[in-house]
PDB file of all heavy atoms in Angstrom:
ATOM      1  N   GLN A 215     137.589 143.633  52.412  1.00  0.00           N
ATOM      2  CA  GLN A 215     138.534 144.759  52.340  1.00  0.00           C
ATOM      3  C   GLN A 215     138.613 145.476  50.995  1.00  0.00           C
ATOM      4  O   GLN A 215     139.440 146.368  50.823  1.00  0.00           O
ATOM      5  CB  GLN A 215     139.920 144.281  52.777  1.00  0.00           C
ATOM      6  CG  GLN A 215     140.587 143.275  51.870  1.00  0.00           C
ATOM      7  CD  GLN A 215     140.210 141.824  52.167  1.00  0.00           C
ATOM      8  OE1 GLN A 215     139.172 141.556  52.719  1.00  0.00           O
ATOM      9  NE2 GLN A 215     141.045 140.894  51.778  1.00  0.00           N
ATOM     10  N   LYS A 216     137.761 145.078  50.023  1.00  0.00           N
ATOM     11  CA  LYS A 216     137.738 145.810  48.761  1.00  0.00           C
ATOM     12  C   LYS A 216     136.551 146.776  48.716  1.00  0.00           C
ATOM     13  O   LYS A 216     136.719 147.952  48.530  1.00  0.00           O
ATOM     14  CB  LYS A 216     137.680 144.846  47.584  1.00  0.00           C
ATOM     15  CG  LYS A 216     139.034 144.290  47.175  1.00  0.00           C
ATOM     16  CD  LYS A 216     139.358 142.966  47.783  1.00  0.00           C
ATOM     17  CE  LYS A 216     140.765 142.528  47.503  1.00  0.00           C
ATOM     18  NZ  LYS A 216     140.885 141.098  47.246  1.00  0.00           N
ATOM     19  N   ASN A 217     135.362 146.216  48.865  1.00  0.00           N
ATOM     20  CA  ASN A 217     134.188 147.060  48.648  1.00  0.00           C
ATOM     21  C   ASN A 217     133.319 147.250  49.880  1.00  0.00           C
ATOM     22  O   ASN A 217     132.274 147.891  49.807  1.00  0.00           O
ATOM     23  CB  ASN A 217     133.339 146.452  47.527  1.00  0.00           C
ATOM     24  CG  ASN A 217     133.168 147.421  46.372  1.00  0.00           C
ATOM     25  OD1 ASN A 217     133.389 148.618  46.545  1.00  0.00           O
ATOM     26  ND2 ASN A 217     132.774 146.937  45.238  1.00  0.00           N
ATOM     27  N   ILE A 218     133.726 146.691  51.013  1.00  0.00           N
ATOM     28  CA  ILE A 218     132.821 146.705  52.166  1.00  0.00           C
ATOM     29  C   ILE A 218     133.403 147.388  53.397  1.00  0.00           C
ATOM     30  O   ILE A 218     132.765 148.256  53.995  1.00  0.00           O
ATOM     31  CB  ILE A 218     132.373 145.267  52.506  1.00  0.00           C
ATOM     32  CG1 ILE A 218     131.460 144.747  51.388  1.00  0.00           C
ATOM     33  CG2 ILE A 218     131.657 145.216  53.851  1.00  0.00           C
ATOM     34  CD1 ILE A 218     131.037 143.324  51.546  1.00  0.00           C
ATOM     35  N   GLY A 219     134.580 146.998  53.817  1.00  0.00           N
ATOM     36  CA  GLY A 219     135.089 147.561  55.067  1.00  0.00           C
ATOM     37  C   GLY A 219     136.489 147.061  55.358  1.00  0.00           C
ATOM     38  O   GLY A 219     137.209 146.662  54.450  1.00  0.00           O
ATOM     39  N   PRO A 220     136.876 147.069  56.614  1.00  0.00           N
ATOM     40  CA  PRO A 220     138.221 146.605  56.936  1.00  0.00           C
ATOM     41  C   PRO A 220     138.345 145.087  56.771  1.00  0.00           C
ATOM     42  O   PRO A 220     137.361 144.363  56.894  1.00  0.00           O
ATOM     43  CB  PRO A 220     138.397 146.980  58.413  1.00  0.00           C
ATOM     44  CG  PRO A 220     137.138 147.618  58.858  1.00  0.00           C
ATOM     45  CD  PRO A 220     136.113 147.458  57.806  1.00  0.00           C
ATOM     46  N   ALA A 221     139.556 144.618  56.508  1.00  0.00           N
ATOM     47  CA  ALA A 221     139.800 143.177  56.444  1.00  0.00           C
ATOM     48  C   ALA A 221     139.353 142.549  57.759  1.00  0.00           C
ATOM     49  O   ALA A 221     139.357 143.198  58.808  1.00  0.00           O
ATOM     50  CB  ALA A 221     141.284 142.920  56.206  1.00  0.00           C
ATOM     51  N   GLY A 222     138.980 141.286  57.707  1.00  0.00           N
ATOM     52  CA  GLY A 222     138.637 140.594  58.946  1.00  0.00           C
ATOM     53  C   GLY A 222     137.269 139.959  58.889  1.00  0.00           C
ATOM     54  O   GLY A 222     137.056 138.903  59.473  1.00  0.00           O
ATOM     55  N   VAL A 223     136.325 140.585  58.187  1.00  0.00           N
ATOM     56  CA  VAL A 223     135.014 139.955  58.075  1.00  0.00           C
ATOM     57  C   VAL A 223     134.851 139.439  56.639  1.00  0.00           C
ATOM     58  O   VAL A 223     135.298 140.080  55.689  1.00  0.00           O
ATOM     59  CB  VAL A 223     133.864 140.911  58.488  1.00  0.00           C
ATOM     60  CG1 VAL A 223     133.782 142.139  57.616  1.00  0.00           C
ATOM     61  CG2 VAL A 223     132.524 140.184  58.506  1.00  0.00           C
ATOM     62  N   THR A 224     134.296 138.258  56.532  1.00  0.00           N
ATOM     63  CA  THR A 224     134.073 137.623  55.234  1.00  0.00           C
ATOM     64  C   THR A 224     132.592 137.319  55.106  1.00  0.00           C
ATOM     65  O   THR A 224     131.996 136.753  56.032  1.00  0.00           O
ATOM     66  CB  THR A 224     134.858 136.295  55.139  1.00  0.00           C
ATOM     67  OG1 THR A 224     136.209 136.543  55.496  1.00  0.00           O
ATOM     68  CG2 THR A 224     134.781 135.708  53.737  1.00  0.00           C
ATOM     69  N   ILE A 225     132.004 137.710  53.989  1.00  0.00           N
ATOM     70  CA  ILE A 225     130.567 137.502  53.804  1.00  0.00           C
ATOM     71  C   ILE A 225     130.307 136.235  53.005  1.00  0.00           C
ATOM     72  O   ILE A 225     130.985 135.985  51.993  1.00  0.00           O
ATOM     73  CB  ILE A 225     129.973 138.746  53.118  1.00  0.00           C
ATOM     74  CG1 ILE A 225     129.954 139.857  54.160  1.00  0.00           C
ATOM     75  CG2 ILE A 225     128.576 138.478  52.561  1.00  0.00           C
ATOM     76  CD1 ILE A 225     129.591 141.174  53.693  1.00  0.00           C
ATOM     77  N   VAL A 226     129.383 135.428  53.479  1.00  0.00           N
ATOM     78  CA  VAL A 226     128.947 134.246  52.731  1.00  0.00           C
ATOM     79  C   VAL A 226     127.427 134.298  52.634  1.00  0.00           C
ATOM     80  O   VAL A 226     126.739 134.489  53.636  1.00  0.00           O
ATOM     81  CB  VAL A 226     129.382 132.933  53.424  1.00  0.00           C
ATOM     82  CG1 VAL A 226     128.802 131.716  52.676  1.00  0.00           C
ATOM     83  CG2 VAL A 226     130.900 132.830  53.496  1.00  0.00           C
ATOM     84  N   ILE A 227     126.933 134.161  51.414  1.00  0.00           N
ATOM     85  CA  ILE A 227     125.484 134.095  51.182  1.00  0.00           C
ATOM     86  C   ILE A 227     125.230 132.720  50.577  1.00  0.00           C
ATOM     87  O   ILE A 227     125.777 132.396  49.521  1.00  0.00           O
ATOM     88  CB  ILE A 227     125.043 135.216  50.219  1.00  0.00           C
ATOM     89  CG1 ILE A 227     125.412 136.595  50.802  1.00  0.00           C
ATOM     90  CG2 ILE A 227     123.548 135.139  49.924  1.00  0.00           C
ATOM     91  CD1 ILE A 227     125.378 137.724  49.791  1.00  0.00           C
ATOM     92  N   ILE A 228     124.442 131.904  51.274  1.00  0.00           N
ATOM     93  CA  ILE A 228     124.318 130.504  50.852  1.00  0.00           C
ATOM     94  C   ILE A 228     122.854 130.066  50.785  1.00  0.00           C
ATOM     95  O   ILE A 228     122.072 130.384  51.698  1.00  0.00           O
ATOM     96  CB  ILE A 228     125.150 129.571  51.779  1.00  0.00           C
ATOM     97  CG1 ILE A 228     125.012 128.100  51.357  1.00  0.00           C
ATOM     98  CG2 ILE A 228     124.799 129.750  53.248  1.00  0.00           C
ATOM     99  CD1 ILE A 228     126.009 127.173  52.031  1.00  0.00           C
ATOM    100  N   ARG A 229     122.515 129.380  49.704  1.00  0.00           N
ATOM    101  CA  ARG A 229     121.147 128.867  49.543  1.00  0.00           C
ATOM    102  C   ARG A 229     120.940 127.727  50.540  1.00  0.00           C
ATOM    103  O   ARG A 229     121.789 126.850  50.676  1.00  0.00           O
ATOM    104  CB  ARG A 229     120.955 128.382  48.108  1.00  0.00           C
ATOM    105  CG  ARG A 229     119.546 128.540  47.579  1.00  0.00           C
ATOM    106  CD  ARG A 229     119.488 128.164  46.113  1.00  0.00           C
ATOM    107  NE  ARG A 229     119.823 126.754  45.946  1.00  0.00           N
ATOM    108  CZ  ARG A 229     120.381 126.243  44.839  1.00  0.00           C
ATOM    109  NH1 ARG A 229     120.643 127.011  43.806  1.00  0.00           N
ATOM    110  NH2 ARG A 229     120.668 124.960  44.784  1.00  0.00           N
ATOM    111  N   GLU A 230     119.794 127.742  51.212  1.00  0.00           N
ATOM    112  CA  GLU A 230     119.561 126.821  52.334  1.00  0.00           C
ATOM    113  C   GLU A 230     119.723 125.348  51.993  1.00  0.00           C
ATOM    114  O   GLU A 230     120.218 124.565  52.796  1.00  0.00           O
ATOM    115  CB  GLU A 230     118.137 127.037  52.875  1.00  0.00           C
ATOM    116  CG  GLU A 230     118.031 128.182  53.844  1.00  0.00           C
ATOM    117  CD  GLU A 230     116.581 128.529  54.176  1.00  0.00           C
ATOM    118  OE1 GLU A 230     115.653 127.991  53.522  1.00  0.00           O
ATOM    119  OE2 GLU A 230     116.386 129.348  55.084  1.00  0.00           O
ATOM    120  N   ASP A 231     119.304 124.955  50.793  1.00  0.00           N
ATOM    121  CA  ASP A 231     119.359 123.519  50.468  1.00  0.00           C
ATOM    122  C   ASP A 231     120.789 123.008  50.335  1.00  0.00           C
ATOM    123  O   ASP A 231     121.012 121.801  50.262  1.00  0.00           O
ATOM    124  CB  ASP A 231     118.561 123.234  49.190  1.00  0.00           C
ATOM    125  CG  ASP A 231     119.139 123.970  47.991  1.00  0.00           C
ATOM    126  OD1 ASP A 231     119.046 125.209  47.952  1.00  0.00           O
ATOM    127  OD2 ASP A 231     119.715 123.306  47.109  1.00  0.00           O
ATOM    128  N   LEU A 232     121.780 123.905  50.303  1.00  0.00           N
ATOM    129  CA  LEU A 232     123.174 123.467  50.188  1.00  0.00           C
ATOM    130  C   LEU A 232     123.821 123.226  51.557  1.00  0.00           C
ATOM    131  O   LEU A 232     124.977 122.811  51.636  1.00  0.00           O
ATOM    132  CB  LEU A 232     123.984 124.508  49.410  1.00  0.00           C
ATOM    133  CG  LEU A 232     123.492 124.741  47.973  1.00  0.00           C
ATOM    134  CD1 LEU A 232     124.275 125.872  47.312  1.00  0.00           C
ATOM    135  CD2 LEU A 232     123.621 123.463  47.144  1.00  0.00           C
ATOM    136  N   LEU A 233     123.059 123.470  52.609  1.00  0.00           N
ATOM    137  CA  LEU A 233     123.604 123.279  53.961  1.00  0.00           C
ATOM    138  C   LEU A 233     123.549 121.802  54.371  1.00  0.00           C
ATOM    139  O   LEU A 233     122.671 121.063  53.934  1.00  0.00           O
ATOM    140  CB  LEU A 233     122.809 124.106  54.969  1.00  0.00           C
ATOM    141  CG  LEU A 233     122.942 125.620  54.822  1.00  0.00           C
ATOM    142  CD1 LEU A 233     121.881 126.340  55.641  1.00  0.00           C
ATOM    143  CD2 LEU A 233     124.338 126.070  55.222  1.00  0.00           C
ATOM    144  N   GLY A 234     124.510 121.411  55.217  1.00  0.00           N
ATOM    145  CA  GLY A 234     124.475 120.060  55.777  1.00  0.00           C
ATOM    146  C   GLY A 234     125.074 118.986  54.890  1.00  0.00           C
ATOM    147  O   GLY A 234     124.822 117.801  55.071  1.00  0.00           O
ATOM    148  N   ARG A 235     125.872 119.389  53.906  1.00  0.00           N
ATOM    149  CA  ARG A 235     126.484 118.408  52.998  1.00  0.00           C
ATOM    150  C   ARG A 235     127.982 118.261  53.247  1.00  0.00           C
ATOM    151  O   ARG A 235     128.711 117.749  52.402  1.00  0.00           O
ATOM    152  CB  ARG A 235     126.314 118.866  51.546  1.00  0.00           C
ATOM    153  CG  ARG A 235     124.885 119.026  51.101  1.00  0.00           C
ATOM    154  CD  ARG A 235     124.872 119.426  49.626  1.00  0.00           C
ATOM    155  NE  ARG A 235     123.496 119.550  49.145  1.00  0.00           N
ATOM    156  CZ  ARG A 235     123.173 119.769  47.874  1.00  0.00           C
ATOM    157  NH1 ARG A 235     124.123 119.899  46.967  1.00  0.00           N
ATOM    158  NH2 ARG A 235     121.916 119.866  47.511  1.00  0.00           N
ATOM    159  N   GLU A 236     128.489 118.752  54.381  1.00  0.00           N
ATOM    160  CA  GLU A 236     129.938 118.790  54.548  1.00  0.00           C
ATOM    161  C   GLU A 236     130.567 117.400  54.622  1.00  0.00           C
ATOM    162  O   GLU A 236     129.959 116.447  55.103  1.00  0.00           O
ATOM    163  CB  GLU A 236     130.351 119.636  55.760  1.00  0.00           C
ATOM    164  CG  GLU A 236     129.659 119.345  57.063  1.00  0.00           C
ATOM    165  CD  GLU A 236     128.372 120.162  57.222  1.00  0.00           C
ATOM    166  OE1 GLU A 236     127.482 120.038  56.359  1.00  0.00           O
ATOM    167  OE2 GLU A 236     128.253 120.903  58.213  1.00  0.00           O
ATOM    168  N   LEU A 237     131.800 117.316  54.130  1.00  0.00           N
ATOM    169  CA  LEU A 237     132.573 116.073  54.228  1.00  0.00           C
ATOM    170  C   LEU A 237     132.812 115.776  55.707  1.00  0.00           C
ATOM    171  O   LEU A 237     132.940 116.695  56.516  1.00  0.00           O
ATOM    172  CB  LEU A 237     133.932 116.227  53.521  1.00  0.00           C
ATOM    173  CG  LEU A 237     133.917 116.482  52.008  1.00  0.00           C
ATOM    174  CD1 LEU A 237     135.321 116.796  51.512  1.00  0.00           C
ATOM    175  CD2 LEU A 237     133.364 115.269  51.275  1.00  0.00           C
ATOM    176  N   PRO A 238     132.907 114.481  56.082  1.00  0.00           N
ATOM    177  CA  PRO A 238     133.107 114.138  57.498  1.00  0.00           C
ATOM    178  C   PRO A 238     134.392 114.739  58.095  1.00  0.00           C
ATOM    179  O   PRO A 238     134.442 114.987  59.297  1.00  0.00           O
ATOM    180  CB  PRO A 238     133.201 112.609  57.480  1.00  0.00           C
ATOM    181  CG  PRO A 238     132.603 112.174  56.189  1.00  0.00           C
ATOM    182  CD  PRO A 238     132.760 113.301  55.221  1.00  0.00           C
ATOM    183  N   ILE A 239     135.395 114.985  57.260  1.00  0.00           N
ATOM    184  CA  ILE A 239     136.658 115.542  57.794  1.00  0.00           C
ATOM    185  C   ILE A 239     136.573 117.046  58.051  1.00  0.00           C
ATOM    186  O   ILE A 239     137.507 117.642  58.584  1.00  0.00           O
ATOM    187  CB  ILE A 239     137.855 115.306  56.835  1.00  0.00           C
ATOM    188  CG1 ILE A 239     137.578 115.951  55.460  1.00  0.00           C
ATOM    189  CG2 ILE A 239     138.201 113.842  56.714  1.00  0.00           C
ATOM    190  CD1 ILE A 239     138.836 116.275  54.676  1.00  0.00           C
ATOM    191  N   THR A 240     135.477 117.698  57.680  1.00  0.00           N
ATOM    192  CA  THR A 240     135.394 119.160  57.781  1.00  0.00           C
ATOM    193  C   THR A 240     135.563 119.638  59.222  1.00  0.00           C
ATOM    194  O   THR A 240     134.781 119.255  60.101  1.00  0.00           O
ATOM    195  CB  THR A 240     134.031 119.662  57.238  1.00  0.00           C
ATOM    196  OG1 THR A 240     133.868 119.154  55.917  1.00  0.00           O
ATOM    197  CG2 THR A 240     133.968 121.180  57.216  1.00  0.00           C
ATOM    198  N   PRO A 241     136.571 120.470  59.492  1.00  0.00           N
ATOM    199  CA  PRO A 241     136.699 121.027  60.848  1.00  0.00           C
ATOM    200  C   PRO A 241     135.428 121.808  61.212  1.00  0.00           C
ATOM    201  O   PRO A 241     134.808 122.422  60.335  1.00  0.00           O
ATOM    202  CB  PRO A 241     137.891 121.978  60.732  1.00  0.00           C
ATOM    203  CG  PRO A 241     138.653 121.514  59.530  1.00  0.00           C
ATOM    204  CD  PRO A 241     137.637 120.934  58.603  1.00  0.00           C
ATOM    205  N   THR A 242     135.076 121.784  62.473  1.00  0.00           N
ATOM    206  CA  THR A 242     133.843 122.460  62.916  1.00  0.00           C
ATOM    207  C   THR A 242     133.752 123.886  62.396  1.00  0.00           C
ATOM    208  O   THR A 242     132.726 124.303  61.860  1.00  0.00           O
ATOM    209  CB  THR A 242     133.809 122.489  64.465  1.00  0.00           C
ATOM    210  OG1 THR A 242     133.942 121.156  64.934  1.00  0.00           O
ATOM    211  CG2 THR A 242     132.505 123.086  64.971  1.00  0.00           C
ATOM    212  N   MET A 243     134.855 124.623  62.528  1.00  0.00           N
ATOM    213  CA  MET A 243     134.850 126.036  62.146  1.00  0.00           C
ATOM    214  C   MET A 243     134.678 126.244  60.635  1.00  0.00           C
ATOM    215  O   MET A 243     134.409 127.351  60.184  1.00  0.00           O
ATOM    216  CB  MET A 243     136.158 126.703  62.592  1.00  0.00           C
ATOM    217  CG  MET A 243     136.144 127.222  64.011  1.00  0.00           C
ATOM    218  SD  MET A 243     134.959 128.564  64.248  1.00  0.00           S
ATOM    219  CE  MET A 243     135.789 129.909  63.385  1.00  0.00           C
ATOM    220  N   LEU A 244     134.888 125.181  59.846  1.00  0.00           N
ATOM    221  CA  LEU A 244     134.813 125.332  58.388  1.00  0.00           C
ATOM    222  C   LEU A 244     133.517 124.778  57.810  1.00  0.00           C
ATOM    223  O   LEU A 244     133.382 124.641  56.597  1.00  0.00           O
ATOM    224  CB  LEU A 244     136.035 124.690  57.714  1.00  0.00           C
ATOM    225  CG  LEU A 244     137.392 125.305  58.090  1.00  0.00           C
ATOM    226  CD1 LEU A 244     138.495 124.748  57.198  1.00  0.00           C
ATOM    227  CD2 LEU A 244     137.381 126.822  57.996  1.00  0.00           C
ATOM    228  N   GLY A 245     132.573 124.444  58.685  1.00  0.00           N
ATOM    229  CA  GLY A 245     131.268 123.982  58.192  1.00  0.00           C
ATOM    230  C   GLY A 245     130.292 125.158  58.182  1.00  0.00           C
ATOM    231  O   GLY A 245     130.224 125.927  59.137  1.00  0.00           O
ATOM    232  N   TYR A 246     129.548 125.302  57.108  1.00  0.00           N
ATOM    233  CA  TYR A 246     128.587 126.422  57.051  1.00  0.00           C
ATOM    234  C   TYR A 246     127.450 126.254  58.054  1.00  0.00           C
ATOM    235  O   TYR A 246     126.965 127.207  58.645  1.00  0.00           O
ATOM    236  CB  TYR A 246     127.985 126.547  55.645  1.00  0.00           C
ATOM    237  CG  TYR A 246     128.961 127.025  54.590  1.00  0.00           C
ATOM    238  CD1 TYR A 246     129.192 126.285  53.429  1.00  0.00           C
ATOM    239  CD2 TYR A 246     129.643 128.228  54.738  1.00  0.00           C
ATOM    240  CE1 TYR A 246     130.073 126.728  52.447  1.00  0.00           C
ATOM    241  CE2 TYR A 246     130.527 128.678  53.771  1.00  0.00           C
ATOM    242  CZ  TYR A 246     130.735 127.916  52.619  1.00  0.00           C
ATOM    243  OH  TYR A 246     131.609 128.357  51.664  1.00  0.00           O
ATOM    244  N   LYS A 247     127.041 124.970  58.237  1.00  0.00           N
ATOM    245  CA  LYS A 247     125.825 124.739  59.013  1.00  0.00           C
ATOM    246  C   LYS A 247     125.974 125.222  60.461  1.00  0.00           C
ATOM    247  O   LYS A 247     125.052 125.834  61.012  1.00  0.00           O
ATOM    248  CB  LYS A 247     125.501 123.234  58.992  1.00  0.00           C
ATOM    249  CG  LYS A 247     124.065 122.938  59.338  1.00  0.00           C
ATOM    250  CD  LYS A 247     123.636 121.577  58.809  1.00  0.00           C
ATOM    251  CE  LYS A 247     122.286 121.196  59.355  1.00  0.00           C
ATOM    252  NZ  LYS A 247     122.376 120.193  60.428  1.00  0.00           N
ATOM    253  N   VAL A 248     127.132 124.971  61.048  1.00  0.00           N
ATOM    254  CA  VAL A 248     127.328 125.373  62.446  1.00  0.00           C
ATOM    255  C   VAL A 248     127.226 126.895  62.583  1.00  0.00           C
ATOM    256  O   VAL A 248     126.694 127.419  63.560  1.00  0.00           O
ATOM    257  CB  VAL A 248     128.657 124.815  63.020  1.00  0.00           C
ATOM    258  CG1 VAL A 248     129.867 125.573  62.472  1.00  0.00           C
ATOM    259  CG2 VAL A 248     128.670 124.889  64.540  1.00  0.00           C
ATOM    260  N   HIS A 249     127.718 127.604  61.574  1.00  0.00           N
ATOM    261  CA  HIS A 249     127.644 129.075  61.630  1.00  0.00           C
ATOM    262  C   HIS A 249     126.215 129.571  61.388  1.00  0.00           C
ATOM    263  O   HIS A 249     125.799 130.567  61.975  1.00  0.00           O
ATOM    264  CB  HIS A 249     128.613 129.690  60.622  1.00  0.00           C
ATOM    265  CG  HIS A 249     130.048 129.436  60.971  1.00  0.00           C
ATOM    266  ND1 HIS A 249     130.650 129.996  62.077  1.00  0.00           N
ATOM    267  CD2 HIS A 249     130.995 128.663  60.384  1.00  0.00           C
ATOM    268  CE1 HIS A 249     131.914 129.583  62.149  1.00  0.00           C
ATOM    269  NE2 HIS A 249     132.143 128.777  61.130  1.00  0.00           N
ATOM    270  N   VAL A 250     125.477 128.860  60.555  1.00  0.00           N
ATOM    271  CA  VAL A 250     124.065 129.221  60.347  1.00  0.00           C
ATOM    272  C   VAL A 250     123.287 128.996  61.650  1.00  0.00           C
ATOM    273  O   VAL A 250     122.544 129.866  62.107  1.00  0.00           O
ATOM    274  CB  VAL A 250     123.453 128.388  59.194  1.00  0.00           C
ATOM    275  CG1 VAL A 250     121.924 128.503  59.196  1.00  0.00           C
ATOM    276  CG2 VAL A 250     124.004 128.853  57.848  1.00  0.00           C
ATOM    277  N   GLU A 251     123.498 127.819  62.257  1.00  0.00           N
ATOM    278  CA  GLU A 251     122.754 127.496  63.481  1.00  0.00           C
ATOM    279  C   GLU A 251     123.066 128.467  64.623  1.00  0.00           C
ATOM    280  O   GLU A 251     122.239 128.671  65.509  1.00  0.00           O
ATOM    281  CB  GLU A 251     123.071 126.054  63.919  1.00  0.00           C
ATOM    282  CG  GLU A 251     122.367 125.033  63.040  1.00  0.00           C
ATOM    283  CD  GLU A 251     122.883 123.610  63.241  1.00  0.00           C
ATOM    284  OE1 GLU A 251     123.897 123.406  63.962  1.00  0.00           O
ATOM    285  OE2 GLU A 251     122.278 122.699  62.645  1.00  0.00           O
ATOM    286  N   ASN A 252     124.260 129.035  64.597  1.00  0.00           N
ATOM    287  CA  ASN A 252     124.648 129.960  65.664  1.00  0.00           C
ATOM    288  C   ASN A 252     124.625 131.426  65.227  1.00  0.00           C
ATOM    289  O   ASN A 252     125.199 132.286  65.905  1.00  0.00           O
ATOM    290  CB  ASN A 252     126.048 129.587  66.179  1.00  0.00           C
ATOM    291  CG  ASN A 252     126.052 128.258  66.901  1.00  0.00           C
ATOM    292  OD1 ASN A 252     125.705 128.180  68.072  1.00  0.00           O
ATOM    293  ND2 ASN A 252     126.397 127.184  66.198  1.00  0.00           N
ATOM    294  N   GLU A 253     123.970 131.685  64.107  1.00  0.00           N
ATOM    295  CA  GLU A 253     123.842 133.061  63.586  1.00  0.00           C
ATOM    296  C   GLU A 253     125.174 133.810  63.572  1.00  0.00           C
ATOM    297  O   GLU A 253     125.278 134.946  64.044  1.00  0.00           O
ATOM    298  CB  GLU A 253     122.766 133.817  64.373  1.00  0.00           C
ATOM    299  CG  GLU A 253     121.420 133.133  64.214  1.00  0.00           C
ATOM    300  CD  GLU A 253     120.277 133.861  64.886  1.00  0.00           C
ATOM    301  OE1 GLU A 253     120.512 134.508  65.915  1.00  0.00           O
ATOM    302  OE2 GLU A 253     119.155 133.764  64.357  1.00  0.00           O
ATOM    303  N   SER A 254     126.186 133.151  63.026  1.00  0.00           N
ATOM    304  CA  SER A 254     127.549 133.702  62.901  1.00  0.00           C
ATOM    305  C   SER A 254     128.194 134.025  64.249  1.00  0.00           C
ATOM    306  O   SER A 254     129.138 134.813  64.314  1.00  0.00           O
ATOM    307  CB  SER A 254     127.566 134.967  62.013  1.00  0.00           C
ATOM    308  OG  SER A 254     127.087 134.696  60.734  1.00  0.00           O
ATOM    309  N   MET A 255     127.668 133.417  65.325  1.00  0.00           N
ATOM    310  CA  MET A 255     128.268 133.657  66.646  1.00  0.00           C
ATOM    311  C   MET A 255     128.643 132.331  67.318  1.00  0.00           C
ATOM    312  O   MET A 255     128.551 132.200  68.531  1.00  0.00           O
ATOM    313  CB  MET A 255     127.312 134.462  67.533  1.00  0.00           C
ATOM    314  CG  MET A 255     126.939 135.782  66.915  1.00  0.00           C
ATOM    315  SD  MET A 255     127.277 137.189  67.952  1.00  0.00           S
ATOM    316  CE  MET A 255     126.487 138.484  66.987  1.00  0.00           C
TER     317      MET A 255
END
Side-chain angles (χ1 to χ4, degrees):
Q215 66 273 24
K216 277 95 187 218
N217 239 342
I218 291 176
V223 62
T224 309
I225 287 172
V226 175
I227 301 164
I228 179 168
R229 212 174 63 208
E230 277 170 351
D231 62 291
L232 299 175
L233 293 167
R235 300 182 178 186
E236 50 271 58
L237 297 172
I239 59 156
T240 306
T242 305
M243 274 295 287
L244 298 189
Y246 290 124
K247 200 158 170 256
V248 74
H249 293 292
V250 166
E251 285 168 352
N252 292 278
E253 299 184 329
S254 301
M255 302 235 188

